[in-house]
Each structure stands twice: as structure tokens, then as C-alpha cells.
Amino acid sequence: MSDYDVIIIGAGPGGYVCAIRAAQLGLKVACVEGRETLGGTCLNVGCIPSKALLHASHSLHEAEHNFTKMGLMGKNPSVDFGKMLEYKQSVVDSNTSGIEFLFKKNKVDWLKGWGKITGKNEVTVGDKAYSTKNIVIATGSEPSSLPGVEVDEKVVVTSTGALELKKVPNKMVVIGAGVIGLEMGSVYQRLGTEVTVVEYLDQITPGMDGEVAKTFQRMLKKQGLNFIMGAAVQKVDATKTKAKVTYKLRKDDSEATLDADIVLVATGRRPYTEGLGLAEVGVTMTDRGMIETDDHWRTNVDGIYALGDVIKGPMLAHKAEDEGMAVAETIAGQAGHVNYGVIPGVIYTSPEVASVGKTEEQLKEEGRKYKVGKFSFMGNARAKAVFLGDGFVKMLADAETDRVLGCHVIGPAAGDLIHEVCVAMEFGAAAEDLARTCHAHPTYSEAMREAALACGDGPIHM
Ligand code: NAI
């Protein structure tokens, strides 16, 4: 008899969700995690701590820019960065201990240590081997750097180091205008740092709807972020306290340098599979270093599954969570399923940016006939009342059937608003279905309805 029905390696959002769901479905489950706390990158050094810093720095921005407009007078708050990091850590701690509580509640064993697959049905943690019917690899990803750039997590940092700086830097260079670069760049810009983002492409946030990306960059510039676009970083020379970033402009091959106290390398992440024993057990990898899986998250080795950042698809916590549930259901003999066409993406800057489904560029490329319903937050009473009228909702629907194909939002609470479109898309709804749904007044969500109305006879407030 095996020790477990399933052993999951990694307790990030993919792994811990898989563990809890598998236990709920009656399986005997263990989850291996080598960190001191559960929750993986997301809870410890990713999504959660960055949200705490985004909230704190946004509050400072509100105090500096909007309080007096509302008749709230007095001295602006000053930044005690040490205290801010304590607040951030308390947010992390309450979330990671929450997962530990959920493991106990659901009778999931936490095997503490780094796991290695030592056989088709065996996982070894430290010097103890456990037998299991199924193995799920949920080991996530790690930041990937660039040639010529050595990360020391002090002066040249990844997102992990950027959450633990000793003080607010005077000058920061961010390499890469992706999600991490822009979220962390805005945090420090709001805390008073001069931030310059160097991006290889001519557009920020690759893959985002072009119109939204342009508006987003304009807003970030207005807030004070500097951008050098079409520039490939060649190298970073760092001392113990300073760094010099050399980049080459793509248009004319000219080279230039930037000085910084801190350089944030935000050029993507790569799957983390080191020390797992995958080659020994014969698990097939793709040429991009990911674990190859079929449509049911099965690797080529019977009984070994993989999910989240180690396999194909967007590296997002909620994509991993969905896969975690589906894999648990599959192992339990149910029909686990993930709808990859309806996975929202959110950037938690201020304003937030959120999207789901197709972009206009993708629809054009597919040659699909579509209509666009746009609505500006300037026509939304609630947004205007709180100085957040900049931004818009863009709904994309099929030109003939009116079926919602995608939605892109830049504006207040975009990351929450997007979910009504996710639900609509899951149900195959038409834009008219959203347009005919009563939305409470005054809420930001009325802008979603107005964009849906704009796909038909037109919005009311524009
Ligand atoms: P990213 O892939 O989003 O962006 C990296 C950027 O770096 C790209 O725009 C790329 O063109 C640029 N770049 C690459 N090499 C360069 C060079 N030599 N010089 C200048 N620019 C260069 O990667 P990022 O921001 O590091 O995020 C990693 C992963 O984490 C992504 O998959 C992201 O979705 C995920 N993530 C998601 C969050 C969210 O959903 N809110 C938050 C944080 C991370």
C-alpha cells in the first residue's frame, strides 16, 4: 500500500489548491514545500507583498495629490520605509499561515523540505522516501536574467529583492516594461524614486491590446515614470552601492548608459525544475525548458502530472489555481477542465489594467468580423467623484452574433470589473445580455454595461 494517493511538489497557488481539492475529493494527500512558509512565490515574494506596497504607495499618492482637493488639509505623511516593509510582511504572514490552517483543516500533510522524484511512484524529501500513486509537479518559476547582468539582490535585483530594499532609492532603472517592471516601478516612483524603464520593444506590456497599452503608457508617463523604448540592455556594471546600465537603441544601434542606485531586472521568468530528478525519471521537457504535458496535464510518465508556471500558458497564479483544481479532479476520476480562452490578466498599478479574451489585434489577425463598444470613465459618475475618470472600457463582440469575444479595461477597480465579462464569456453571452443586465448606480461597473450598450444602439452617458 502506498503512503499517499497523491504527492504534490510545491505549495504555491497551483500546488496548494491542488492539494486542498484532492483532499476534499477523498484522496490521501501530501504537499512538499521547502520554504519556511506555504504559498510559494505568489504569497511570499510576489503577488501578495507587491499588493501591500502598491496599496501603501497609492495611499501616499492620494494624500499628496487628492486630499486637499477634498478639503483634507494638513501635513503630507512622510515615508517610514522600514515600517512599510513590516506592514508588507504582516500581510504575507497572515496569508501564508492561512494556508497552513487550510492544510490542517483538510488533512493535507506538509512534507517540509525540497522534494525529488526518485521513482515513478516515489518522492524523497530529505532522507525519507514516500510512496505514492500519483505525483503532481507544481514547482513554479524563477526570475530569468539577461546575459551580461548579474543579480546580487542588493543593487541589481529581481522582484524578490525589490520587495526587500534597505531604503527608498533615489534612482532606479527597470529593465523590461512587463507586469513586474511596471508594478514595482510605480511603487517606487510614488515613494519618490526617479524611475526609468528600459524596454526592448516599442510597446509596453507585450500582448496587451494596443490601444490600452498606449493609454496606459501615457498615464504612467504623466505620473512621472520615464520610458526608453526600443532599447536592448547590453550589460549592467555594478559596485556595492551603484550601477551603470548600458543599452543599445534598436533604431540606430547607438549605445548609451544610465546610472542607478538600484536596477530591477524584470525580463520574464523561467520554469523552476532544478533538482527534481526529472531527467532520471524520464519526464520529457520542451525546448524552452518547460515540462511537456497533454491536454489533461499528464507528462509522458504514467502517474506524473504537472501544472502552473512549469508548463505552457501564461505564468499567472489564477491559471495555476484552475489547473490545480482540474488536476485533482482528474486524479479523482472526474472530468477536470480549464477554459484557457477565459483567463483574465490584471496589472495592479493605479489605475488598474485588466483584460480577458481576444485583443483587437488578435481578431484582425484571425480575420474575424467584430464590433467595438467603448466607454470612457469620464462618463461614469462614481469614477469622476474620486478623480479616476481617466481610462476606458473596450468591449469586443462578434459583428454578426454579438457574442462577447474580449474586454479590455483601464481604470478604477478594473481587476474586479473584468469578472463580469469572464462570467458572460463562460456562458457564451452576447454584449446585449450584459447591456440588459441592471447595474447598481453609482458604481464603476456601470461603465461595463455602457461599453456593452456601445456594441448595440449606443451608450446613455456618452
Ligand atoms: P514580462 O514577460 O511580462 O515582461 C518582460 C519585458 O522585458 C518584455 O516587455 C520584454 O520585451 C522586455 N525585455 C526582455 N529583454 C530585454 C532587454 N534586454 N532589454 C530591455 N527589455 C527587455 O516579464 P515580467 O514582468 O518579468 O513578469 C514575469 C511573469 O510574471 C509574467 O508571466 C507575468 O505575467 C507574471 N506576473 C504577473 C503579475 C500579474 O498578473 N499582476 C505580476 C507579476 C508577475
Side-chain angles (χ1 to χ4, degrees):
M1 202 172 114
S2 301
D3 294 326
Y4 292 101
D5 292 316
V6 52
I7 294 183
I8 295 138
I9 308 178
Y16 83 69
V17 166
C18 184
I20 292 170
R21 175 57 99 226
Q24 286 171 339
L25 296 174
L27 302 176
K28 187 154 192 280
V29 186
C31 187
V32 188
E33 175 55 60
R35 268 183 215 270
E36 292 298 310
T37 47
L38 299 172
T41 298
C42 171
L43 271 68
N44 287 284
V45 289
C47 324
I48 299 303
S50 61
K51 256 69 297 160
L53 293 185
L54 279 157
H55 176 67
S57 61
H58 176 63
S59 304
L60 176 67
H61 176 92
E62 283 293 287
E64 285 173 345
H65 296 270
N66 291 332
F67 273 19
T68 55
K69 292 183 200 159
M70 296 184 284
L72 299 171
M73 315 313 279
K75 208 165 139 274
N76 279 336
S78 60
V79 178
D80 180 336
F81 194 54
K83 191 107 184 60
M84 195 179 286
L85 293 185
E86 274 173 32
Y87 148 68
K88 178 212 71 175
Q89 196 52 44
S90 71
V91 172
V92 169
D93 293 345
S94 75
N95 278 281
T96 55
S97 58
I99 307 301
E100 208 171 328
F101 163 78
L102 291 174
F103 270 16
K104 284 190 188 128
K105 182 180 160 202
N106 288 284
K107 301 194 173 40
V108 173
D109 289 345
W110 173 6
L111 306 178
K112 293 185 186 178
W114 301 102
K116 181 170 180 176
I117 302 175
T118 39
K120 205 165 85 59
N121 296 101
E122 187 183 83
V123 174
T124 298
V125 184
D127 50 12
K128 191 157 170 30
Y130 299 87
S131 60
T132 178
K133 290 183 194 148
N134 299 280
I135 296 169
V136 179
I137 304 166
T139 45
S141 60
E142 60 180 351
S144 62
S145 188
L146 293 170
V149 181
E150 204 170 310
V151 171
D152 59 16
E153 294 296 11
K154 289 193 171 62
V155 173
V156 184
V157 299
T158 66
S159 51
T160 308
L163 292 164
E164 287 293 332
L165 297 183
K166 296 275 170 284
K167 57 178 182 139
V168 177
N170 291 324
K171 275 189 180 182
M172 179 184 245
V173 169
V174 175
I175 311 177
V179 189
I180 293 180
L182 298 180
E183 286 187 357
M184 292 313 297
S186 358
V187 163
Y188 285 102
Q189 187 273 322
R190 290 197 293 243
L191 295 180
T193 305
E194 186 189 323
V195 178
T196 304
V197 183
V198 184
E199 166 58 45
Y200 178 79
L201 301 171
D202 297 319
Q203 180 188 308
I204 64 169
T205 51
M208 183 186 277
D209 186 276
E211 197 180 356
V212 175
K214 261 196 208 122
T215 306
F216 186 30
Q217 190 178 356
R218 175 180 59 73
M219 285 184 181
L220 291 173
K221 267 191 196 160
K222 203 168 137 197
Q223 288 171 21
L225 249 80
N226 306 306
F227 287 94
I228 299 176
M229 304 301 291
V233 168
Q234 307 291 303
K235 62 171 180 165
V236 176
D237 298 302
T239 65
K240 277 195 177 133
T241 51
K242 294 246 173 275
K244 195 183 271 299
V245 178
T246 307
Y247 63 88
K248 193 182 252 188
L249 283 177
R250 286 198 296 130
K251 63 173 191 270
D252 57 12
D253 263 357
S254 62
E255 266 195 9
T257 59
L258 287 167
D259 291 323
D261 304 305
I262 296 288
V263 176
L264 167 61
V265 187
T267 49
R269 299 179 63 88
R270 60 168 174 243
Y272 181 67
T273 55
E274 211 180 290
L276 267 181
L278 297 183
E280 292 91 321
V281 85
V283 170
T284 305
M285 310 291 288
T286 68
D287 47 14
R288 304 186 66 193
M290 287 167 187
I291 297 175
E292 199 164 286
T293 48
D294 68 7
D295 290 345
H296 302 282
W297 309 279
R298 289 181 299 213
T299 68
N300 62 311
V301 180
D302 198 31
I304 303 186
Y305 297 76
L307 58 83
D309 287 6
V310 285
I311 68 166
K312 61 182 178 288
M315 287 185 169
L316 296 172
H318 45 281
K319 175 254 192 190
E321 287 185 49
D322 272 31
E323 289 175 341
M325 279 196 271
V327 168
E329 286 162 3
T330 304
I331 291 173
Q334 299 184 355
H337 176 71
V338 175
N339 181 358
Y340 288 101
V342 186
I343 294 184
V346 180
I347 306 182
Y348 299 88
T349 42
S350 187
E352 290 182 353
V353 185
S355 68
V356 67
K358 305 278 185 188
T359 62
E360 232 186 308
E361 289 76 16
Q362 283 171 326
L363 291 173
K364 276 188 190 133
E365 208 176 300
E366 287 172 14
R368 189 154 184 180
K369 289 210 174 74
Y370 63 94
K371 50 189 173 176
V372 183
K374 257 183 83 176
F375 188 78
S376 162
F377 279 100
M378 280 315 267
N380 181 272
R382 183 72 179 275
K384 273 200 303 201
V386 294
F387 317 107
L388 294 172
D390 218 356
F392 59 86
V393 179
K394 176 174 176 180
M395 192 82 65
L396 301 169
D398 187 280
E400 275 136 42
T401 64
D402 195 36
R403 187 181 176 135
V404 179
L405 301 174
C407 185
H408 308 274
V409 187
I410 177 162
D416 289 296
L417 295 180
I418 200 71
H419 294 95
E420 84 170 76
V421 181
C422 297
V423 174
M425 287 178 72
E426 284 286 358
F427 281 83
E432 189 180 344
D433 292 318
L434 286 175
R436 288 191 182 276
T437 303
C438 184
H439 286 62
H441 176 74
T443 59
Y444 303 136
S445 75
E446 289 172 285
M448 305 299 278
R449 180 193 203 175
E450 294 271 17
L453 279 164
C455 287
D457 295 331
I460 301 297
H461 295 93
M462 195 124 283

